[in-house]
Amino acid sequence: MAPRWSVPLVAGLAAPLGLYISFILLGSIPLFQRHFLYAHKLNTLFWHDIDKPEYWGFARNQVTPFPIQTSDGETLYAWHILPLQAYLKNEDKLQAQPAGYVEDVTSTESFRILREDPDARLVVYFHGNAGHIAQAIRPDSYHTLTDTSNYHVLAIDYRGFGKSTGAPTEAGVINDGVAAVDWAMKVAKVPSSQIVVIGQSLGTAVTSGVAEHFAMQGVEFAGVILAAGFSNLPTLLSRYSAAGFIPVLSPVRAIPPLLRLFQGFVVDKWKSDERLATLVGLTRNRLRLTLIHAKNDVEIPCSESDTLFRSAAGPAIGTDLDDEDFAKWKEERTVVRDDGTFVAIVESKQPDIIIREELVPYGGHNDVMLSSPVALAVMRSFGVNSKDSL
């Protein structure tokens, strides 16, 4: 006969185990899986009016909410955010305009400022999963980029997020990113050489997909920046913890056949490692690729950026190295700081390619977007230093 204490113990273990199994089984169904992955319905629209950006500390009409149409008929909700330097020069006209959402963004003063400046620099920003364009740290990260520089920011909500129409899929969300960049180049007439594409978390996968798409067309950007990125979704799920403490597939890592079985059910693969390799391989003139990760990121391990760095570096160095040789090769190009963080840089002269991986000590998974290394990466991409190489 089992001891009395064993009954509540078994019951206590059975409850979370049952919940976990239910979660995994639901996750094998594409509809539920995509809701878990994108979490696009978890937002604060019921108490936040994102048509009023002043709530997040922006000046009147510093932010213009407007729609962008995709090639497959979806309508994306977007923000064009003016840098304060440009805003101050045009403050009277901006203040005089009606505030809020506009259907025709080309009729606005903010668009005129962007379109008529031949030296305009634009950061196209792809956010992570869950929420909307103004949720969590996102407004603060826009402020970080616009308040002390002369850079415009274009941010979008992917299909199914916030007020955007549709439902997210990998192909669809990449199409959304392409639509944002197309708007920047074809409507706002900003040359690709004056555009930096940046993403955080899920947004790094979008950034990789968008950069690969345009590389296949021979289009090269001023910079491509990935903050808190991951190599590919099946691999990430084997070590990912939602919210930093809810495991996904890590409990079955000890059983490789079972892990591979569950990974096979992943619908949207998001293979950023392969896409970055393609991006580097297709570069003909210039590429500034920066990977930034916080050492204290408890959601996506910083080792994921190591994988991305290796995938990108391979085509740049033009040779296949095994694990040991690559580790030695990278060590020769890495500056390690006394706190265990580092900067690793690989350079190629023809074509002009610089790939930089930076591990920063703090910032976690989200607040890393507010860190100076992210703003510095944008500045380097635009060539705001004498060497334009580090």
Side-chain angles (χ1 to χ4, degrees):
M1 185 175 179
R4 291 182 179 178
W5 54 264
S6 66
V7 176
L9 176 62
V10 171
L13 292 174
L17 181 61
L19 285 173
Y20 177 74
I21 293 173
S22 299
F23 171 78
I24 293 298
L25 291 175
L26 279 174
S28 66
I29 302 170
L31 174 64
F32 289 103
Q33 184 182 127
R34 285 181 168 133
H35 274 278
F36 293 153
L37 168 62
Y38 298 109
H40 49 292
K41 296 301 182 182
L42 300 179
N43 62 59
T44 61
L45 286 180
F46 54 90
W47 78 72
H48 283 150
D49 185 352
I50 57 177
D51 288 339
K52 297 180 179 178
E54 294 84 358
Y55 177 86
W56 290 276
F58 295 101
R60 176 183 171 86
N61 284 329
Q62 182 188 356
V63 179
T64 303
F66 71 100
I68 293 176
Q69 303 301 319
T70 70
S71 61
D72 58 347
E74 300 297 350
T75 301
L76 307 179
Y77 183 89
W79 275 10
H80 167 219
I81 308 163
L82 284 168
L84 286 184
Q85 293 180 33
Y87 183 92
L88 188 60
K89 293 177 182 178
N90 301 274
E91 186 172 12
D92 290 344
K93 291 181 179 178
L94 288 164
Q95 289 277 352
Q97 280 196 338
Y101 184 84
V102 294
E103 286 289 347
D104 180 12
V105 69
T106 64
S107 66
T108 65
E109 184 67 18
S110 60
F111 179 83
R112 183 197 64 77
I113 294 168
L114 173 63
R115 174 68 181 85
E116 295 182 3
D117 181 3
D119 298 318
R121 299 294 188 268
L122 176 66
V123 178
V124 180
Y125 184 114
F126 298 126
H127 64 63
N129 72 339
H132 53 64
I133 200 168
Q135 202 155 318
I137 56 94
R138 290 161 196 166
D140 287 340
S141 61
Y142 309 149
H143 277 294
T144 298
L145 295 171
T146 59
D147 286 4
T148 58
S149 75
N150 205 29
Y151 306 145
H152 297 249
V153 169
L154 173 66
I156 63 167
D157 266 336
Y158 318 118
R159 61 188 63 201
F161 284 73
K163 293 186 176 183
S164 296
T165 64
T169 65
E170 180 175 4
V173 170
I174 291 175
N175 198 26
D176 298 341
V178 169
V181 174
D182 274 339
W183 179 90
M185 294 193 300
K186 295 177 181 179
V187 180
K189 303 296 183 182
V190 181
S192 62
S193 60
Q194 294 171 207
I195 295 174
V196 164
V197 185
I198 185 171
Q200 183 262 340
S201 192
L202 173 66
T204 64
V206 182
T207 298
S208 301
V210 169
E212 179 194 45
H213 170 91
F214 283 99
M216 290 178 173
Q217 300 178 7
V219 176
E220 298 177 355
F221 299 108
V224 177
I225 302 171
L226 279 62
F230 60 93
S231 55
N232 62 77
L233 190 59
T235 298
L236 173 65
L237 293 179
S238 69
R239 60 187 70 174
Y240 176 73
S241 294
F245 66 93
I246 304 172
V248 182
L249 294 182
S250 55
V252 298
R253 284 179 64 187
I255 313 172
L258 188 58
L259 175 61
R260 288 192 294 271
L261 174 66
F262 287 152
Q263 287 176 323
F265 285 106
V266 177
V267 179
D268 294 338
K269 308 296 185 183
W270 289 109
K271 296 182 178 180
S272 294
D273 46 0
E274 296 181 7
R275 286 175 170 144
L276 291 186
T278 301
L279 168 65
V280 175
L282 290 174
T283 297
R284 294 293 173 263
N285 297 301
R286 180 184 183 276
L287 173 65
R288 297 294 182 267
L289 172 61
T290 306
L291 312 171
I292 299 173
H293 219 120
K295 187 178 180 180
N296 66 338
D297 188 334
V298 296
E299 294 189 42
I300 296 181
C302 55
S303 59
E304 285 289 295
S305 283
D306 295 334
T307 303
L308 290 172
F309 181 82
R310 177 168 184 174
S311 297
I317 61 179
T319 185
D320 228 357
L321 301 176
D322 60 28
D323 292 347
E324 184 177 350
D325 287 341
F326 181 81
K328 291 179 181 176
W329 179 90
K330 182 179 179 181
E331 184 179 0
E332 294 171 355
R333 291 155 180 81
T334 301
V335 176
V336 181
R337 306 182 182 107
D338 55 8
D339 58 1
T341 61
F342 65 83
V343 175
I345 299 174
V346 55
E347 296 186 58
S348 168
K349 298 301 182 185
Q350 292 182 344
D352 179 12
I353 295 174
I354 299 176
I355 303 167
R356 176 188 178 105
E357 180 190 3
E358 182 166 4
L359 181 67
V360 300
Y362 307 110
H365 186 62
N366 295 309
D367 287 352
V368 67
M369 286 301 295
L370 310 179
S371 67
S372 293
V374 171
L376 287 168
V378 175
M379 295 171 70
R380 291 189 192 96
S381 298
F382 284 133
V384 188
N385 63 17
S386 58
K387 295 181 180 179
D388 189 24
S389 61
L390 297 178

